[in-house]
């Protein structure tokens, strides 16, 4: 499970709450959340404002050790994941993408500061980072954003931000993901009847009690073929 979950910011989006939702989404579970937004597609007219608003939200994180009840952001879970994230961030920097970190984390241990990667090479940003790293890519229009979502290693979740819910639903219905949320990145399902299939590399099966049961019971149909001559 997991994927490079895309988020599309439409031209009419309300930037401050959009940025707040993205900052929250990229740092849930210290970034190790399988539905975390991974790549944000944003019109050029909104990119600078969105970047600054996300950084403002990240600066308000309460940094602390896992047992600190007042903290809401901690270190990476293991050395391997820490090393992988460090390597990916260096790769982006070496490719001359803009790399911006909120340097509020301790300098010891397995801490990865929440980091934004602005307009890296598309081929380098295809895979999931699975950490508090968010790629921001500038797009010309929503059609380009939808097309580029299909180039990501995705399939689990996607997000659309807009003031026009009907347009958000239209765009969301075109995205290659099992769950598309409009104007939010909540950890919770949208309702107690929410279901989602896993697309591409996100896995096999689906999410939802009935779907999981149906998958593991191996549904079968037996009957006479429609063009049987007997």
């Amino acid at each position: 499970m997991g994927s490079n979950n895309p988020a599309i910011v439409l031209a009419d989006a309300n930037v401050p709450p959009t940025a707040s939702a993205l900052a929250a989404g990229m740092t849930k579970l210290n970034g190790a959340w399988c539905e975390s937004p991974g790549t944000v597609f944003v019109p050029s007219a909104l990119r600078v404002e969105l970047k600054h608003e996300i950084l403002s939200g990240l600066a308000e994180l309460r940094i602390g050790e896992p047992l600190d009840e007042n903290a809401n952001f901690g270190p990476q879970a293991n050395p391997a994941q820490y090393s992988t994230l460090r390597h990916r961030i260096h790769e982006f920097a070496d490719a001359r993408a803009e790399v911006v970190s909120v340097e509020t984390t301790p300098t010891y241990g397995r801490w990865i500061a929440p980091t934004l990667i602005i307009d890296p090479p598309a081929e380098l940003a295809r895979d999931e980072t699975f950490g508090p790293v968010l790629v921001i890519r500038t797009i010309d229009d929503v059609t380009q954003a939808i097309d580029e979502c299909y180039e990501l290693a995705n399939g689990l979740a996607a997000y659309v931000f807009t003031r026009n819910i009907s347009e958000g639903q239209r765009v969301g219905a075109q995205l290659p993901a099992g769950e598309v949320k409009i104007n939010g990145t909540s950890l919770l399902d949208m309702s107690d009847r929410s279901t989602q299939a896993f697309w591409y590399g996100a896995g096999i099966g689906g999410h939802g009690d009935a779907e999981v049961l149906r998958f593991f019971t191996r549904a079968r149909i037996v009957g006479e073929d429609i063009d049987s001559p007997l």
Side-chain angles (χ1 to χ4, degrees):
M1 293 178 62
S3 61
N4 189 354
N5 303 298
I8 296 180
V9 179
L10 300 188
D12 71 335
N14 188 348
V15 173
T18 295
S20 178
L22 290 170
M26 68 176 284
T27 54
K28 282 184 175 70
L29 304 179
N30 307 329
W33 175 37
C34 58
E35 294 189 8
S36 175
T39 297
V40 180
F41 297 97
V42 60
S44 57
L46 300 182
R47 184 189 63 190
V48 172
E49 182 185 4
L50 182 70
K51 167 188 163 182
H52 289 310
E53 289 287 344
I54 292 175
L55 291 173
S56 295
L58 295 175
E60 296 178 0
L61 289 170
R62 300 187 302 276
I63 308 298
E65 299 290 349
L67 296 181
D68 182 351
E69 294 183 358
N70 295 316
N72 59 9
F73 185 80
Q76 295 302 296
N78 57 70
Q81 178 63 8
Y82 169 80
S83 297
T84 297
L85 288 172
R86 292 274 295 178
H87 175 72
R88 288 298 306 279
I89 292 170
H90 286 310
E91 276 190 322
F92 288 126
D94 290 343
R96 299 190 177 183
E98 181 184 358
V99 178
V100 186
S101 295
V102 179
E103 296 294 350
T104 56
T105 53
T107 57
Y108 61 87
R110 299 189 300 271
W111 293 88
I112 295 289
T115 301
L116 303 183
I117 310 294
I118 315 296
D119 286 328
E123 63 276 9
L124 188 60
R126 181 180 186 276
D127 294 328
E128 177 186 37
T129 57
F130 203 64
V133 177
L134 184 67
V135 172
I136 297 178
R137 289 173 56 182
T138 309
I139 46 95
D140 295 324
D141 54 43
V142 67
T143 300
Q144 179 190 355
I146 293 170
D147 288 344
E148 295 199 14
C149 284
Y150 282 82
E151 300 300 320
L152 301 177
N154 61 355
L156 194 57
Y159 304 91
V160 180
F161 295 90
T162 177
R163 299 173 194 259
N164 185 332
I165 300 302
S166 295
E167 178 64 5
Q169 291 175 328
R170 185 190 73 81
V171 172
Q174 300 178 67
L175 301 183
E179 178 179 57
V180 181
K181 290 183 176 178
I182 300 173
N183 293 334
T185 59
S186 170
L187 193 68
L188 303 175
D189 288 334
M190 287 181 277
S191 80
D192 58 5
R193 295 176 295 168
S194 288
T195 62
Q196 67 184 103
F198 302 154
W199 293 49
Y200 299 130
I204 299 173
H207 171 228
D209 294 343
E211 284 70 21
V212 171
L213 178 61
R214 189 175 299 118
F215 174 74
F216 283 104
T217 56
R218 298 182 179 180
R220 173 186 289 116
I221 182 169
V222 180
E224 186 176 11
D225 196 2
I226 191 170
D227 60 354
S228 171
L230 302 180

